[in-house]
Amino acid sequence: MTHTTKMTTAAGTPVADNQNSLTAGPRGPVLMQDYRLMEKMAHFNRERVPERVVHAKGAGAYGTLTVTKSLSRYTRAGLFAKAGNRCDMFARFSTVAGEMGSADTARDPRGFALKFYSEEGNWDLVGNNTPVFFVRDPLKFSDFIHSQKRDPATGLRDNTMQWDFWSLSPESLHQVTTLFSDRGIPATLRHMNGYSSHTYSLWNESGERFWVKWHFKTLQGNKTLTNDAAAVIAGKDLDFHRRDLHAAIERGDFPKWQVQVQIMPEAEAATYRIHPFDLTKVWPHRDYPLIDVGVMELNRNPGNYFAEVEQAAFEPGNMPPGMGASPDKMLQARLLSYPDAHRYRVGINYAALPVNKPHCPVNTYHRDGQTRFDGNDGGRVNYEPNSFNGPMEDLTLKEPPLKISGDADSYDHHEGNEDFSQAGDLYRLMSADQKAQLIGNLVSALALVPRDIQVRQLGHFYKADPDYGAGVASGLGIAVEAIAGKAA
Ligand code: NDP
């Protein structure tokens, strides 16, 4: 072996011996003055940043978005001004509840986080492979996640905690039905859809606003794994999905997704029969048809997992002019909690790291902070307003005003928001085989849960569709009459 590069310390001084510590005699103790040993051990102790509380296990890749249809009628965002526009992007897919070393083939929603490096700044979408979510009020989010993580006494994951929370939170039923359906375990990350899930907004040059939901339909086709197949894979390879995505891109088999939108004019939100900002609901396609707007392709693997995937920081507030948020309570909370998590995990200057850095010029008045590793804007003026030609705001880019009204109160989020019909719609669109898989998956997950929790949850299945409730009840050996009465 020939090595042409000289090893150095972090300070660049050449290392004379990287095999033997400095000791007092060949059998003696290590000397305090062996600063190279100290540096090595100290750096090793600090190698990890805290893993994400949710979405800890992930896989990432770079790619491109190619716009196939102009959205200029709805948005002033330059990215969607005309068909043919292209933009570099980065995607990170993840499981939700498992830790960094957990199995890829767990039954769990998959995070579907996207960062588009547009010429007008980054546009981040922090979606899932499911169009809805378990809760609609962010006050319930940390309780929900605790119920899915580990029992505080045993350190074990516990089906009773999960079903206790779900059965007491019937707004979770639509997502629970999705999770335990065949699509609850994708065959690979390439064979699953992505959804913005939240409602976002678009606004155009004339100041008109539209509500929008984003869909990313896999062009590889939806493929799934049964519980049994997933368990066999997990026994052999915990990193099955990460490995598959990396290998596909290495061999030039670039996965693609059809990008689609559903668009609702602003005023229709007030009269639409479904609460358009409720994260537990979809907009049925017959009301708001899907419009093809582009194709997303993943075509380059990261060169360093930690730098690019572990430090990737997505935040739903990253939106170029022409795009905006919506009154969705869950989205509002995520606008705060995502950057807050990055500041804690990665540090205040996370946005300047190469994977997060916009591909357009960045001109802020932020300065200093831990790990400011670039030039910190040199001698450029660091306050505003100023007389020294510092960067200035542009009032022509102001989002149109959003009318809001109502008395401040803690409103019961179940009021006027039924939890069952869309879960029933999903059940009814499944084939006989998909229904059998759903019921089988639910029966095995509920089997060891206390009877009162089983019965409470069965009432929800029954309300979504009597056939659905009866199927799970029969699998658990519970008389359907017992739950029909409860459901009523
Ligand atoms: P549609 O018949 O127009 O659409 C059904 C949708 O369900 C399609 O997007 C299809 O996606 C998806 N789908 C099909 N099989 C499954 C499955 N086993 N698990 C999850 N999704 C599946 O009906 P609606 O728009 O009226 O929606 C009916 C139900 O479909 C909803 O209650 C919701 O549960 C589900 N759904 C609806 C979506 C929407 O945005 N309207 C999005 C995703 C699901 P694909 O083309 O990939 O097969």
Side-chain angles (χ1 to χ4, degrees):
M1 265 191 303
T2 51
H3 295 274
T4 51
T5 310
K6 248 193 194 125
M7 183 179 178
T8 71
T9 63
T13 57
V15 172
D17 187 342
N18 193 41
Q19 318 303 320
N20 305 293
S21 306
L22 209 55
T23 53
R27 298 191 173 189
V30 167
L31 299 183
M32 270 297 281
Q33 72 192 58
D34 191 351
Y35 66 91
R36 281 189 287 266
L37 172 65
M38 305 305 161
E39 177 184 289
K40 231 174 141 172
M41 291 195 304
H43 196 277
F44 180 69
N45 284 348
R46 291 162 179 77
E47 276 183 4
R48 296 283 171 275
V49 296
E51 70 172 39
R52 294 164 173 89
V53 180
V54 282
H55 297 279
K57 176 87 188 283
Y62 295 93
T64 39
L65 168 70
T66 305
V67 173
T68 53
K69 182 181 165 62
S70 165
L71 284 179
S72 59
R73 203 180 130 203
Y74 307 107
T75 177
R76 63 176 299 158
L79 174 57
F80 287 101
K82 60 177 193 322
N85 280 2
R86 280 162 75 90
C87 173
D88 292 336
M89 48 91 45
F90 181 75
R92 183 178 183 272
F93 304 132
S94 50
T95 48
V96 180
E99 293 85 1
M100 280 273 268
S102 58
D104 279 349
T105 54
R107 181 169 297 284
D108 207 2
R110 299 302 188 280
F112 201 101
L114 307 172
K115 186 182 288 293
F116 300 94
Y117 306 98
S118 98
E119 286 173 14
E120 296 170 298
N122 288 352
W123 168 40
D124 290 3
L125 268 182
V126 194
N128 277 330
N129 70 334
T130 61
V132 292
F133 195 63
F134 298 93
V135 293
R136 62 168 75 94
D137 191 311
L139 203 53
K140 298 186 73 167
F141 181 79
S142 56
D143 294 298
F144 161 61
I145 294 298
H146 287 171
S147 76
Q148 309 297 303
K149 290 269 196 178
R150 293 178 182 278
D151 178 284
T154 61
L156 299 170
R157 290 188 66 187
D158 181 354
N159 285 8
T160 296
M161 290 166 63
Q162 299 181 357
W163 288 106
D164 192 28
F165 182 89
W166 284 333
S167 65
L168 290 168
S169 308
E171 70 270 27
S172 63
L173 184 67
H174 192 184
Q175 177 76 323
V176 165
T177 304
T178 310
L179 177 62
F180 286 88
S181 79
D182 55 330
R183 296 211 185 165
I185 314 181
T188 81
L189 300 170
R190 300 175 292 125
H191 293 93
M192 64 180 193
N193 295 336
Y195 304 90
S196 66
S197 310
H198 296 294
T199 299
Y200 287 87
S201 58
L202 298 176
W203 51 277
N204 63 21
E205 298 274 3
S206 322
E208 295 169 297
R209 178 183 280 106
F210 302 85
W211 305 117
V212 61
K213 280 187 184 284
W214 295 89
H215 301 248
F216 299 78
K217 289 282 185 77
T218 172
L219 290 172
Q220 291 67 242
N222 272 291
K223 283 196 190 146
T224 61
L225 294 172
T226 61
N227 276 350
D228 289 345
V232 169
I233 293 170
K236 293 181 182 159
D237 184 2
L238 294 173
D239 303 322
F240 181 73
H241 282 167
R242 194 189 278 178
R243 197 181 310 281
D244 170 84
L245 181 65
H246 188 272
I249 292 173
E250 283 304 293
R251 67 174 179 264
D253 180 8
F254 301 143
K256 295 186 182 61
W257 284 262
Q258 179 74 57
V259 185
Q260 300 173 318
V261 287
Q262 287 178 288
I263 291 183
M264 178 190 294
E266 180 172 7
E268 285 179 23
T271 52
Y272 187 38
R273 64 193 163 85
I274 296 165
H275 182 352
F277 310 121
D278 173 357
L279 188 56
T280 69
K281 301 279 193 314
V282 295
W283 301 350
H285 297 145
R286 65 182 175 283
D287 296 345
Y288 294 97
L290 294 168
I291 305 166
D292 289 349
V293 296
V295 174
M296 180 179 96
E297 174 187 275
L298 296 182
N299 48 31
R300 180 164 65 89
N301 278 315
N304 183 282
Y305 184 85
F306 178 85
E308 293 154 83
V309 187
E310 194 52 13
Q311 294 197 119
F314 301 87
E315 45 192 303
N318 285 350
M319 288 176 282
M323 297 183 165
S326 82
D328 176 345
K329 294 193 250 280
M330 291 291 291
L331 173 59
Q332 299 272 325
R334 293 176 90 198
L335 293 173
L336 166 78
S337 70
Y338 275 63
D340 189 44
H342 308 323
R343 289 174 198 123
Y344 160 67
R345 284 187 68 239
V346 187
I348 187 65
N349 286 309
Y350 66 92
L353 290 166
V355 67
N356 301 323
K357 200 175 154 72
H359 290 189
C360 64
V362 176
N363 296 308
T364 75
Y365 286 91
H366 304 322
R367 295 292 188 275
D368 311 348
Q370 278 192 341
T371 322
R372 186 72 203 230
F373 52 85
D374 57 7
N376 197 24
D377 278 311
R380 202 153 80 149
V381 57
N382 64 353
Y383 59 89
E384 207 276 336
N386 62 69
S387 318
F388 302 102
N389 197 28
M392 289 278 288
E393 69 211 7
D394 178 353
L395 291 175
T396 67
L397 300 176
K398 259 179 76 150
E399 187 168 338
L402 175 68
K403 249 192 195 52
I404 50 173
S405 63
D407 299 336
D409 204 349
S410 301
Y411 293 94
D412 179 354
H413 63 81
H414 291 286
E415 204 111 308
N417 247 336
E418 62 83 27
D419 297 320
F420 307 101
S421 64
Q422 291 202 347
D425 291 344
L426 178 57
Y427 176 78
R428 288 181 286 275
L429 71 72
M430 290 181 189
S431 66
D433 173 56
Q434 286 175 315
K435 285 179 179 163
Q437 283 195 52
L438 169 70
I439 288 171
N441 294 335
L442 286 167
V443 168
S444 63
L446 274 159
L448 299 178
V449 166
R451 187 48 59 115
D452 58 326
I453 296 178
Q454 287 179 338
V455 169
R456 190 161 63 211
Q457 183 65 37
L458 285 169
H460 303 329
F461 296 139
Y462 189 88
K463 277 196 207 167
D465 192 296
D467 182 51
Y468 183 12
V472 186
S474 147
L476 292 171
I478 296 177
V480 70
E481 294 72 32
I483 58 156
K486 221 165 178 93

